[in-house]
Amino acid sequence: MYKELAVALGLGTLVALVFLKKRKGVLKAHDGWWGVGACPQGPEDDSIRPFKVETTSEEIEDLHRRLDQTRSFPSLEDSQFNYGFNSKYLEKLVSYWRNDFNWRKQVDKLNKYPHFKTKIEGIDIHYVHVKPKSLAEGTRAVPLMMVHGWPGSFYEFYGIIPLLMEPSSPDDITFEIICPSIPGYGFSEAPHKKGFDGVCAAHIFNKLMKRLGFNQYYVQGGDWGSLITTNMAQLEPNAVKGLHINFAPPGKAGLLMMLSILFGRRFPKLFGFTEHDVKRLFPTMEKLVVDAIRETGYMHIQSTKPDTAGRGLNDSPVGLAAYILEKFSTWTDPEFKNLEDGGLERKFSLDDLLTNVMIYWTSRSIISSMRFYKENFSKGLNQPHAKLPVYVPSGVASFPNELMHSPKSWVTQKYHKLKTYTPMARGGHFAAMEEPQLLAEDTSVSTRDKHDSK
Ligand SMILES: *[C@@H]1O[C@H](CO)[C@@H](O)[C@H](O)[C@H]1NC(C)=O
């Protein structure tokens, strides 16, 4: 009796193992329909339309009226950015926005690169597509898609695009760059149906690259962009030649990760932990809990009832700027919350920060951008893509002030062909905007690596 049970159990395990092995491999996605109402019959309109960012006097006057009508509210004394965006500095920002910021000029800057829109799965997808002007004899530009996150936009890449397109050394790769707006962000249409998550975005972006005529290409991303580009690599490992991310949240907790959490502090070498790894991974229990509560409130709101909180931000440019730019302060350097001005101008210009806010404001996309969190978390953690490794050659740039830190030994658990893992000299969450030179170099190096090894 026991013997039979044992044999049955053994066989069962074997079958399960074979089955699990089989299931490994490629992630599958179904075509979606995210447009209004039912999916129409017949082929999709796959035309590509040039697009220009535009503005009108009415739009600017409406903004100014709302800025003039803001009701200020004093921050507590000596609170800096610890209670959220400091009101004294907010008054300064609003005054700059109202009197000095020139949206028309920024619109021209946005239009410096060619924009396009094309319909995929029922919604308009917006993207910037930049080709290098001149190429050396016999060389080809390498297509690279760069995907932004929240609360960023395609504009985050405006500083890095020229660096990747006009490399300083002749050995460097020249890229042709495509920066889409995630559906529901900026000038991409928001999905009209529930359930649009990272895999759905990845499926659409892979289709976009095919539509542009690329059978093989590279992808790069931070924040949601890192999830989406990772999903792109999982969906189409033959099309995505290489992946570079500057955000690698700890993946599924496997045995090695568990052991490294338990013993990594005492035996860092055993798990390949650097000093920086130990510092980042093992803060005091108090810091761990306090930081988690203090810095993730926005995530809780956006993952549960985005439409309620979002409505206020959709009406008030000042509220929207405070909500978005507080992240550009704290996510650039956690110590910036102890500064009166949130350190915002240490790494960014007000023109760049406000341009990013204006992309959300004029496209009315804050609510739909927040919904991406809801769709992400409501599906639970046990998603097929979360369990699936990535088999595409990958590079990870690990910036010291990134929100979540994953040591190399964790990253290799998920990214099986990790080619480069670079502890970066400085920088935080908005790497493309904050440290374009460093990010461009690492993207280029990790891609060249993959090129040569082919
Ligand atoms: C949500 O995002 C996290 C972090 O990127 C990821 O680990 C998880 O798999 C995502 N869930 C879904 C349903 O995409």
Side-chain angles (χ1 to χ4, degrees), residues 15-28 234 252 382-389 391:
V15 169
L17 275 176
V18 170
F19 184 65
L20 279 178
K21 241 213 150 93
K22 261 243 174 81
R23 261 195 10 176
K24 253 170 104 177
V26 183
L27 185 67
K28 292 264 185 302
Q234 292 174 312
K252 187 187 65 158
N382 222 12
Q383 293 295 304
H385 73 90
K387 289 179 268 179
L388 206 69
Y391 300 107

Side-chain angles (χ1 to χ4, degrees), residues 100-331:
D100 303 300
F101 180 75
N102 185 340
W103 177 231
R104 285 189 192 278
K105 191 173 133 222
Q106 295 308 107
V107 165
D108 286 344
K109 187 172 178 195
L110 292 177
N111 288 326
K112 169 170 91 169
Y113 297 129
H115 297 242
F116 301 89
K117 279 189 178 183
T118 187
K119 239 185 209 344
I120 303 179
E121 299 188 357
I123 47 177
D124 259 341
I125 305 301
H126 158 260
Y127 60 96
V128 170
H129 187 172
V130 199
K131 298 177 187 175
K133 283 204 185 71
S134 56
L135 277 174
E137 193 79 27
T139 56
R140 269 183 52 209
V142 172
L144 169 70
M145 177 179 269
M146 306 189 84
V147 184
H148 68 90
W150 188 91
S153 61
F154 64 92
Y155 183 62
E156 284 179 69
F157 300 115
Y158 269 48
I160 200 174
I161 287 173
L163 304 177
L164 290 168
M165 263 187 351
E166 289 141 32
S168 45
S169 131
D171 297 341
D172 279 346
I173 293 165
T174 309
F175 292 99
E176 169 171 351
I177 298 169
I178 298 93
C179 305
S181 296
I182 301 171
Y185 288 68
F187 305 113
S188 278
E189 189 174 347
H192 299 269
K193 307 265 187 291
K194 291 185 285 181
F196 189 90
D197 63 6
V199 175
C200 304
H203 188 52
I204 284 185
F205 286 168
N206 275 328
K207 283 188 181 178
L208 174 61
M209 289 306 262
K210 300 280 161 56
R211 190 170 291 179
L212 295 179
F214 302 120
N215 293 320
Q216 291 201 305
Y217 42 87
Y218 292 83
V219 291
Q220 202 286 331
D223 196 86
W224 284 133
S226 76
L227 174 72
I228 295 170
T229 52
T230 295
N231 291 160
M232 287 174 81
Q234 292 174 312
L235 287 169
E236 304 243 11
N238 295 320
V240 177
K241 282 189 84 178
L243 164 72
H244 184 274
I245 52 177
N246 53 292
F247 184 60
K252 187 187 65 158
L255 183 64
L256 182 103
M257 197 195 285
M258 298 291 204
L259 289 173
S260 71
I261 290 171
L262 286 174
F263 303 111
R265 192 192 198 125
R266 289 196 49 200
F267 308 104
K269 291 241 165 58
L270 198 61
F271 300 97
F273 285 173
T274 63
E275 239 172 79
H276 179 72
D277 291 334
V278 173
K279 201 178 102 207
R280 287 296 310 267
L281 297 179
F282 305 105
T284 61
M285 200 36 131
E286 189 189 316
K287 189 169 158 30
L288 203 68
V289 175
V290 171
D291 279 3
I293 291 176
R294 184 175 51 206
E295 298 301 342
T296 55
Y298 80 101
M299 195 187 276
H300 198 164
I301 288 175
Q302 297 180 181
S303 316
T304 50
K305 305 283 177 74
D307 288 27
T308 306
R311 190 54 199 261
L313 307 176
N314 190 53
D315 270 357
S316 162
V318 178
L320 181 69
Y323 197 68
I324 289 178
L325 296 184
E326 181 221 288
K327 299 304 176 222
F328 277 79
S329 162
T330 317
W331 292 358

